[in-house]
Amino acid sequence: MERLKYLLDILKNGKQNICYGAGDYGQQLLGFLQTHGFDIDYFVVSENSNIEKLFGIPVVNIYDLKNSNNYNWIISVSEKYVQEIKTILKNKYINPCFIMNSNDINNIIKDALAVNKELYNIVPKNRRCFIMGTGETIKHQNLKLLQNEDVFSCSFCSLLEGYNDINPQYYILPALTSDMKKTELERETYIKEKIAFYSKSIISPLIFCDYNDRNYIRYYGGFEGKKIYYLCQSKKWNEQRKYIYNLCEKTPYIQTGSIMMLKVAMYMGYKEIYLIGTEHDLVTHKYEHAYDLERLKEYDANKLLQIALTSTKKIEQRSNREILSMSLNMYNQYFYLHNIARQEGIQIYNATDGGSLDEFKRIKFETLF
């Protein structure tokens, strides 16, 4: 972290800041600087880009930039491109003040996740929690029983009948940006609409998001008045692991929001966890939910509705090989977390009304109250 502290000290000179590189490294640098009260005035690239602005910041070709010596220059690209960029800057008589490396990026991630330490074992030992998926079966369960319980929710849970009665304390948003692969303009429109919808509809005071979504949430001003925690979910799963994943570090990628909710609940100290609405019946080639997607029209979320309906249809069209592969990944992740839970004295039960998930002991939902 000493190098990053040194960078912050450099930027106190009052000059404007240029980041050479508008890719992953450059965007992570932006998140770090904005967290610490600084900003980037220009992203600079070597070739013409079809993106004029990134998070409201101009993206400029190096050869179009004027008065190029009046800035703090930071190179923030993958290390294989650094020498090429240093040569370009040398030919323009520019000496960069800082050159990012992979270790700096890892420290930026650690800096963003450090606040998660305040969540560790934060809940009283006698509190239980419910992991609420959005499978169709929860329509047949009396969700009002959850009013005085600690509830994790995800996806389009705010479209559920009686959502305000449930009043979930926690909301998980695992994939704001990763499920849209079209042109950058369409993607930006979709992400903006998605943040607007969740910001209007989610009432939970604590929100858990993916680290890769941090810049979008800050730029579009989502979840005002709520506490947001980020998880960096990029590691491979460790089948032999016997202790809870530390949310202040990189954790494994996830197949479903329910798995992310389990990771968070275990880290927070819940020793008694119940799953509902987690049928996971992908083998039927159906992706049915308890909410009515058409209600998205009430929030003017037409793009979001279109993508959601398309995603549901794609499940029906996938081959058995794809479905079985997705299911195996998902069940393995539950299996790995269950192994950790047993070592840590955590009891996880499946209170879903039916479904294919057989990793956890079954229990009838209504008997818990």
Side-chain angles (χ1 to χ4, degrees), residues 53 74 112 205 219 224 227 276 304 309 315-316 328:
K53 288 188 176 183
I74 308 163
Y219 179 58
E224 185 177 350
K227 179 72 173 178
I276 59 172
L304 187 52
L309 291 173
I315 291 294
E316 299 173 2
L328 179 60

Side-chain angles (χ1 to χ4, degrees), residues 244-257:
I244 292 170
Y245 281 101
N246 183 358
L247 301 190
C248 295
E249 301 172 354
K250 293 179 181 179
T251 60
Y253 65 92
I254 58 164
Q255 185 83 18
T256 72

